[in-house]
Amino acid sequence: MNKFTVIGAGLAGCEAAWQIAEAGHKVTLVEMKPVKFTPAHKSEYFAELVCSNSLKASRIESAAGLLKEEMARLGSLTVPIARGCAVPAGGALAVDRGIFSQAVTERILSHPNITVEHRVVEKIAPSDDEIIIIATGPLTDGALSSEIERMCRGMLSFYDAAAPIVTAESVDMTKAFGASRYDRGGESDYINCPFNKAQYEEFINELIQAEGAVVHDFDVYEGCMPIEKLAKRGLDAPRFGPMKPVGLVDPSTGHRPWACVQLRRENDRGTMFNLVGFQTNLKFGEQKRVFSMIPGLENAEFVRYGVMHRNSFIDSPRVLNGDFSLKENKNIFFAGQITGVEGYMESAASGIMAGKNAVRRAEGRETVILGENTMIGALSRYISDESVKNFQPMGANFGILPPIEPKIRDKKERYKALAIRALSEIINDK
């Protein structure tokens, strides 16, 4: 009988342990909190969401929505919990992060096949009958980071930034207004802070001159580009990015704003909102000064300022198989963002597959990689594709799926067809 150990109780680790336990095997889940915390983690609960509280789009006709539906059909732990503690966010699935993490923790602790150990792991030395899943996340450091680097013959790093959060009551709603883009969702889903041209240009000028918390020009992954670095690319770069005004009409003018900052509901009660797309590395004092120039946020109460985190991921195409096992030791699996999948649900999905394949390995069955037409299968193939030389993190997107022939010109219809094709191939074979 094989022994199963999962290291790390983030989304990926919890999903991996859950799959093993649900398959009828005993598994030990090792989590270093509360013995030790990373700079980004504050809660003792598992599956802590440290950046955005959004799990992206819900519609299966979207890449993110399709991914979550595939996960749900594969017996996901986190997707049903997320749907059960969702907060209004237009077409996105956003959660009350406290309720979400607590619910995941309670499910893990109550499972009779899961034993939780709180300790810091510094060495990976599996016994002959042990299968290990490493899901320690992009903030892995210290002795364990060195151990993984040794196992994987090198590690890549990038830097990820989190957005500030403000209290809802401190937003001046005489200047801001509630609305979702193109009226998708209720007015309480988002708060919009509109700029005219002069306000926007003054804001961008101060933003690019503001002092950063780190002097080095880090190579930041494009998906989490700090707003100040984006602004330095050109005056209109933010206006065509996170500050785009499309789909919005300012009720005070009856026209589309020149630019707009959206605030997304952070919790179920709607007492806190985060600045969408405003990941930042500015010093806290500079954040207060510059972000208070946003119309409606002149007197905003910042309950959390944006922070920069170190994130690491392995060179998966060189060291991992498509089933998430290590090429040099197939009884060791990796899961989560450390593999180069980018995003909360992408990380959780990799945990599902690592857990399922760990069980198959123990039972003497062949491991599986889902079909290339599925979002999870496409991600699995991407992180193990040796033809990818300059490996960078990848999130769910329709661009990694094989095209449908003959080509469907209408984008909505094409995405719908891709989703239908993918879901028709999902079979939960435990």
Side-chain angles (χ1 to χ4, degrees):
M1 185 69 176
N2 286 87
K3 174 183 177 183
F4 293 91
T5 302
V6 177
I7 305 173
L11 280 85
C14 286
E15 287 281 15
W18 186 260
Q19 292 298 322
I20 295 168
E22 285 289 276
H25 295 273
K26 299 290 185 181
V27 56
T28 299
L29 177 61
V30 182
E31 169 56 43
M32 70 178 188
K33 297 190 301 183
V35 178
K36 181 181 179 181
F37 286 84
T38 71
H41 293 88
K42 307 300 180 186
S43 169
E44 294 186 5
Y45 291 125
F46 304 157
E48 182 180 357
L49 306 181
V50 299
C51 190
S52 170
N53 69 322
S54 173
L55 305 181
K56 301 181 182 176
S58 295
R59 308 181 316 277
I60 64 167
E61 295 85 0
S62 68
L66 172 59
L67 175 69
K68 287 189 283 291
E69 182 59 27
E70 289 181 6
M71 292 169 62
R73 297 188 184 194
L74 291 172
S76 169
L77 167 68
T78 60
V79 170
I81 291 175
R83 289 170 174 172
C85 61
V87 298
L93 174 59
V95 301
D96 184 308
R97 68 180 76 204
I99 295 175
F100 173 78
S101 296
Q102 184 176 356
V104 172
T105 304
E106 290 173 350
R107 293 292 301 280
I108 291 291
L109 293 177
S110 64
H111 201 294
N113 286 340
I114 300 176
T115 299
V116 175
E117 295 182 2
H118 296 279
R119 57 184 172 87
V120 177
V121 175
E122 296 183 342
K123 193 76 174 174
I124 306 295
S127 59
D128 292 340
D129 65 342
E130 185 177 13
I131 295 179
I132 293 179
I133 298 177
I134 301 171
T136 51
L139 300 180
T140 305
D141 65 359
L144 183 57
S145 177
S146 299
E147 177 75 348
I148 293 172
E149 185 172 10
R150 178 192 64 79
M151 295 166 56
C152 297
R153 308 186 308 276
M155 181 177 289
L156 303 176
S157 296
F158 68 103
Y159 283 75
D160 191 9
I165 297 174
V166 300
T167 62
E169 63 182 5
S170 68
V171 179
D172 185 353
M173 295 304 294
T174 66
K175 298 180 178 180
F177 62 95
S180 295
R181 296 189 192 279
Y182 304 104
D183 294 322
R184 293 173 180 167
E187 290 187 1
S188 63
D189 294 358
Y190 291 90
I191 294 175
N192 302 277
C193 301
F195 289 77
N196 60 35
K197 184 177 181 181
Q199 290 172 325
Y200 174 78
E201 292 181 352
E202 182 182 8
F203 173 74
I204 296 299
N205 182 61
E206 292 299 317
L207 181 62
I208 63 177
Q209 295 186 47
E211 187 176 359
V214 180
V215 297
H216 299 88
D217 185 18
F218 292 117
D219 183 18
V220 181
Y221 173 51
E222 191 76 17
C224 280
M225 176 70 63
I227 185 65
E228 63 273 14
K229 186 169 183 176
L230 178 63
K232 291 177 181 178
R233 292 186 168 184
L235 178 61
D236 287 326
R239 199 166 70 88
F240 287 93
M243 296 181 68
K244 62 181 180 290
V246 296
L248 297 169
V249 175
D250 184 349
S252 67
T253 64
H255 300 288
R256 186 174 75 179
W258 182 255
C260 188
V261 172
Q262 280 203 310
L263 313 181
R264 181 173 53 224
R265 184 187 288 234
E266 175 70 20
N267 59 356
D268 190 39
R269 293 176 297 168
T271 58
M272 297 183 295
F273 280 74
N274 60 66
L275 280 65
V276 178
F278 266 59
Q279 303 91 346
T280 182
N281 190 41
L282 297 181
K283 287 186 173 181
F284 289 176
E286 291 288 78
Q287 291 185 44
K288 175 67 174 176
R289 179 182 69 83
V290 177
F291 295 156
S292 293
M293 296 175 64
I294 297 172
L297 300 189
E298 292 85 354
N299 298 303
E301 177 188 359
F302 290 83
V303 296
R304 187 193 73 186
Y305 287 106
V307 292
M308 185 75 82
H309 307 306
R310 183 184 69 81
N311 290 265
S312 301
F313 58 95
I314 60 179
D315 190 5
S316 293
R318 253 54 65 191
V319 300
L320 288 189
N321 297 303
D323 61 5
F324 292 93
S325 66
L326 191 64
K327 289 183 178 180
E328 293 189 355
N329 187 337
K330 293 185 178 181
N331 281 350
I332 295 178
F333 292 79
F334 280 82
Q337 280 189 246
I338 199 168
T339 68
V341 294
E342 174 62 24
Y344 288 142
M345 290 290 95
E346 289 85 343
S347 297
S350 72
I352 292 174
M353 297 311 299
K356 286 182 178 293
N357 281 323
V359 169
R360 284 176 167 268
R361 180 85 72 220
E363 295 177 348
R365 295 187 288 158
E366 287 190 13
T367 58
V368 295
I369 305 172
L370 297 186
E372 64 177 359
N373 292 329
T374 68
M375 192 60 68
I376 295 175
L379 284 170
S380 301
R381 283 168 168 76
Y382 177 80
I383 63 99
S384 59
D385 184 355
E386 294 187 15
S387 69
V388 177
K389 300 305 180 184
N390 185 24
F391 182 62
Q392 290 292 320
M394 177 65 71
N397 67 88
F398 282 119
I400 62 175
L401 298 183
I404 283 185
E405 298 295 343
K407 183 177 180 179
I408 301 173
R409 302 188 66 86
D410 182 80
K411 186 170 70 173
K412 288 184 178 180
E413 290 301 315
R414 183 166 68 251
Y415 288 175
K416 181 179 179 180
L418 287 168
I420 292 172
R421 183 183 69 177
L423 292 176
S424 70
E425 298 184 11
I426 294 293
I427 299 175
N428 187 11
D429 179 13
K430 295 183 179 181

